[in-house]
Amino acid sequence: MSNTELDAVYLTFALASTTTVILLLLGTPLAWWLSRRTGNGVAAIEALVAVPLILPPTVLGFYLLILFAPGSALGQFWFWLTGSQLAFSFSALVIGSVVYSLPFVVQPLQAAFQRIPRETLQAAATLGAAPLDQFRSVVMPLSRRSFVIAGCLGFAHTVGEFGVVLMIGGNIPGETQVLSIALYDHVESLQFAQAHRLAAALVVFSLTLLFFIYRADRQSAWRLRS
Amino acid sequence: MSGLSLNIDFRGEQGFAMKLACELPGRGITAIYGPSGSGKTTLLDCIAGLRRPEPGSAVCCRGETWQQGTTFTPPWQRDIGYVFQDARLFPHLSVRGNLDYAIQRCRGRKSPDLEQVVRLLELDKLLQRNAEALSAGQKQRVAIGRALLSAPRLLLLDEPLANLDRAAGQQCLAYLQRLEKELEIPMLYVSHDIEEVSQLADYLVLMDQGRLTGQGSPLDLCARLDTRLSHEEQAAAIAQCTISRHDPEFGLTELDLEGQQLFVTHLPQSPGQLRRVRIPARDVSICRQRPTDSSILNILPVTLTEIEQSGDARILLRLALGDQHLLARITRKSAQQLQLRVGDQLFAQVKSAALLMEAADYL
């Protein structure tokens, strides 16, 4: 494998890991909030979270590109904060990926949280567990499986991202050139052997990850470690 | 202030409203009895803080104020134990894990000894089991243990036997009586089963449509004609008797009720014990003369103290026997034929009397 390819592999995994961590941190409270409430406000937020599922990635990428531009408010704020430009940077890819993969993390978590009966949490409350304690000691263990699934889906979906990255990343090797873009590059320049290698690697990776997700899904919900 | 002092104004969904003010004893088992929909569970939820009564309501328990004016202590800061109808064990924890969950959250209060609770509820063989894998009766025992181990000032029980079969229910009831005696934790016990209540309660609260309709000793309340209780189909008086002797020849046990003999089917308990018997109103008939050739063994001389119409065709009578009372339900027709008047000296024929079981009978 060439150096640029190794760079692309490293970059892809760095991007997917960072995105997954941020998504779990942001997605958990968001999913919890959505799971415990009803009303128009909630439906609006749910729609907003889900929109990357149906929107062409290029649309999202286009708007993000405009948002990240050096002349934009966010672009200037970023420059003031970090001293570097936001557009075509790794940070821009992370922000784009977080938005793009959000539904893949929020939706399984929300579904898991909704399955936890209010009654079980009431029981915890009467035993002296404050809300955060209830979340840590009851909600998290009961939705452990969904956390794994949400993390895997967020990770896998970020690895599989193309349109958004193409729009906001700018294909800079070692900075924003992820695997899917490197593959596209190889095909464009008719390097089919290299393209095959990357494509096959991505297929194997995706299948393996999905296999583990589905296997986890089939395992009984809260089997004890006995 | 050692009791439970309540002044609750609660407005729920679909127009349900509860308004009541009362002082309840801070020890023993207080039963809350009423038809479904009367607000019994809502009352427990308000005491536990799971539901929030209107501002201005007050909940004080054994010297601690949980709600007053605008202050409202959240449920996790109230020293309560709550046993729900549906156990609500944590499915991801073992039985031991469920018990530990309570112990870990005692916030410095002294929790009852784990070993003692395990022994009293006979949980030792279940400790390593998964909470999901237990029978309904076992789950409820674990739930009771878990609630006790959180070191409550007050234990709330919401129809804990509703999902159990009769045998498991009786056993659970026996465990509760034993716990109350040994650990001295006051209990508030919600039920719509009058037999359970007569067996268990030291104090009784009657509820109907979000209101309190009576409170007092169950012996007294059950035999009053002005409560809904005595007009129910299964209305029964509760009397306190002493076991006087056994009659092995006929398989009977003789009880002493205010100096009178009362025979019941043979019981294993030893003479001298003070026990409650439940005498259903429909199993008591009356005569003006003592019948001499009746198959009914239990004939007690009584004084008629109250007469009340109950429904269209029936009359409810309150009969005094020493300091205690019996109820008799007869037809309006026979009441007229006998020309009953308050103050009449009558004979009550008791067709059945059931000794109410206690912990010792089962464990």
Side-chain angles (χ1 to χ4, degrees):
Chain A
M1 226 185 254
S2 69
N3 268 345
T4 44
E5 279 173 0
L6 278 178
D7 276 351
V9 169
Y10 166 76
L11 201 63
T12 305
F13 280 83
L15 175 64
S17 317
T18 315
T19 304
T20 307
V21 170
I22 293 175
L23 275 176
L24 285 174
L25 289 178
L26 285 181
T28 305
L30 180 59
W32 178 252
W33 185 80
L34 289 173
S35 73
R36 296 287 127 176
R37 263 158 232 256
T38 50
N40 287 335
V42 175
I45 305 279
E46 278 180 312
L48 211 58
V49 170
V51 83
L53 286 176
I54 50 164
L55 214 56
T58 43
V59 174
L60 201 62
F62 172 65
Y63 283 123
L64 287 174
L65 186 66
I66 289 175
L67 197 66
F68 295 164
S72 76
L74 181 66
Q76 284 182 343
F77 173 73
W78 189 267
F79 191 82
W80 172 80
L81 201 68
T82 63
S84 58
Q85 174 179 304
L86 182 56
F88 310 122
S89 70
F90 182 74
S91 305
L93 288 194
V94 171
I95 297 174
S97 307
V98 165
V99 174
Y100 187 51
S101 298
L102 192 62
F104 290 84
V105 172
V106 169
Q107 289 186 349
L109 289 181
Q110 189 185 341
F113 295 161
Q114 274 164 346
R115 278 197 300 270
I116 293 174
R118 204 170 62 103
E119 287 75 21
T120 308
L121 297 178
Q122 285 186 336
T126 63
L127 291 167
L132 213 60
D133 184 9
Q134 291 169 30
F135 190 82
R136 193 194 54 74
S137 62
V138 179
V139 178
M140 301 250 297
L142 283 180
S143 23
R144 203 176 57 205
R145 208 168 37 122
S146 297
F147 272 100
V148 174
I149 290 169
C152 288
L153 282 177
F155 189 91
H157 192 246
T158 306
V159 170
E161 200 177 317
F162 177 73
V164 177
V165 182
L166 190 69
M167 296 291 275
I168 60 175
N171 197 3
I172 304 163
E175 173 73 24
T176 59
Q177 193 190 60
V178 294
L179 274 173
S180 56
I181 306 283
L183 171 65
Y184 179 70
D185 251 13
H186 287 319
V187 177
E188 282 266 274
S189 51
L190 300 175
Q191 296 169 306
F192 275 47
Q194 288 94 324
H196 265 304
R197 213 165 49 213
L198 285 186
L202 278 172
V203 167
V204 170
F205 166 76
S206 305
L207 278 177
T208 315
L209 194 61
L210 285 174
F211 170 76
F212 282 110
I213 292 175
Y214 284 118
R215 205 177 66 155
D217 205 20
R218 255 164 232 281
Q219 272 167 1
S220 79
W222 24 70
R223 186 176 297 161
L224 282 173
R225 303 163 297 268
S226 60
Chain B
M1 252 306 298
S2 64
L4 180 65
S5 155
L6 304 173
N7 183 354
I8 292 177
D9 177 6
F10 177 82
R11 282 162 226 166
E13 299 112 50
Q14 289 154 11
F16 176 80
M18 186 169 77
K19 207 168 168 59
L20 57 85
C22 60
E23 302 280 330
L24 301 177
R27 59 194 161 81
I29 301 179
T30 300
I32 302 172
Y33 176 80
S36 46
S38 57
K40 305 185 295 290
T41 302
T42 308
L43 177 61
L44 288 197
D45 284 354
C46 288
I47 295 171
L50 295 176
R51 286 174 204 247
R52 198 176 183 139
E54 299 293 313
S57 301
V59 178
C60 301
C61 174
R62 302 175 79 193
E64 239 185 45
T65 301
W66 287 337
Q67 185 176 9
Q68 192 156 52
T70 49
T71 53
F72 178 85
T73 310
W76 53 90
Q77 285 169 11
R78 300 186 183 198
D79 303 346
I80 33 134
Y82 201 146
V83 179
F84 301 91
Q85 203 178 97
D86 49 344
R88 303 193 191 173
L89 300 183
F90 300 123
H92 60 293
L93 297 175
S94 65
V95 169
R96 180 64 201 257
N98 270 276
L99 299 179
D100 285 341
Y101 193 95
I103 298 172
Q104 286 154 7
R105 288 166 179 79
C106 279
R107 300 191 307 271
R109 280 169 287 131
K110 195 184 169 328
S111 146
D113 185 33
L114 174 68
E115 296 204 352
Q116 190 186 10
V117 171
V118 166
R119 178 176 54 79
L120 288 173
L121 287 161
E122 291 173 26
L123 297 175
D124 41 337
K125 289 194 186 64
L126 305 178
L127 285 178
Q128 303 310 319
R129 300 264 294 273
N130 186 338
E132 284 289 87
L134 305 178
S135 73
Q138 290 171 330
K139 275 187 188 167
Q140 209 53 280
R141 267 154 57 199
V142 176
I144 293 169
R146 186 178 68 171
L148 286 171
L149 288 167
S150 70
R153 227 167 241 277
L154 174 69
L155 186 62
L156 307 171
L157 301 115
D158 185 14
E159 306 203 22
L161 314 183
N163 296 326
L164 310 188
D165 61 46
R166 181 142 182 90
Q170 285 296 334
Q171 199 190 32
C172 239
L173 218 50
Y175 284 122
L176 281 176
Q177 285 180 307
R178 185 157 83 175
L179 287 168
E180 195 276 319
K181 285 201 180 71
E182 293 211 17
L183 301 176
E184 294 181 336
I185 293 179
M187 301 185 187
L188 223 53
Y189 186 97
V190 157
S191 176
H192 68 258
D193 180 337
I194 190 64
E195 273 194 58
E196 244 170 69
V197 169
S198 341
Q199 193 172 333
L200 203 62
D202 301 311
Y203 195 84
L204 180 57
V205 175
L206 302 176
M207 278 188 77
D208 198 10
Q209 295 176 3
R211 308 274 156 157
L212 193 136
T213 54
Q215 65 181 105
S217 129
L219 271 65
D220 178 41
L221 277 182
C222 283
R224 266 169 51 179
L225 301 189
D226 58 350
T227 66
R228 204 189 144 109
L229 209 53
S230 52
H231 294 267
E232 285 176 357
E233 187 54 37
Q234 71 275 37
I238 306 170
Q240 200 116 42
C241 305
T242 321
I243 297 178
S244 32
R245 64 182 188 90
H246 297 298
D247 183 350
E249 192 189 342
F250 292 108
L252 294 173
T253 293
E254 186 191 318
L255 308 174
D256 177 329
L257 169 60
E258 300 281 318
Q260 300 291 322
Q261 289 175 335
L262 192 68
F263 290 97
V264 293
T265 44
H266 180 77
L267 297 163
Q269 289 81 19
S270 45
Q273 277 190 34
L274 194 69
R275 300 299 292 263
R276 281 182 185 179
V277 280
R278 185 168 185 274
I279 304 172
R282 61 160 173 264
D283 289 340
V284 177
S285 59
I286 51 154
C287 326
R288 284 216 174 265
Q289 256 84 48
R290 181 185 277 272
T292 47
D293 45 6
S294 168
S295 71
I296 291 172
L297 272 178
N298 296 317
I299 298 171
L300 309 165
V302 292
T303 311
L304 178 57
T305 56
E306 245 177 285
I307 306 178
E308 191 157 307
Q309 181 111 9
S310 178
D312 214 18
R314 288 154 157 185
I315 296 282
L316 207 54
L317 306 175
R318 177 170 147 105
L319 311 164
L321 175 69
D323 289 335
Q324 306 203 45
H325 288 90
L326 301 183
L327 290 180
R329 187 164 62 212
I330 60 173
T331 61
R332 195 152 58 89
K333 189 176 158 89
S334 32
Q336 201 162 36
Q337 280 171 356
L338 286 169
Q339 297 191 316
L340 294 175
R341 299 254 184 293
V342 169
D344 286 354
Q345 300 295 319
L346 304 167
F347 291 90
Q349 300 193 89
V350 179
K351 201 171 168 196
S352 80
L355 195 76
L356 292 167
M357 293 301 169
E358 283 182 13
D361 307 336
Y362 290 94
L363 303 172

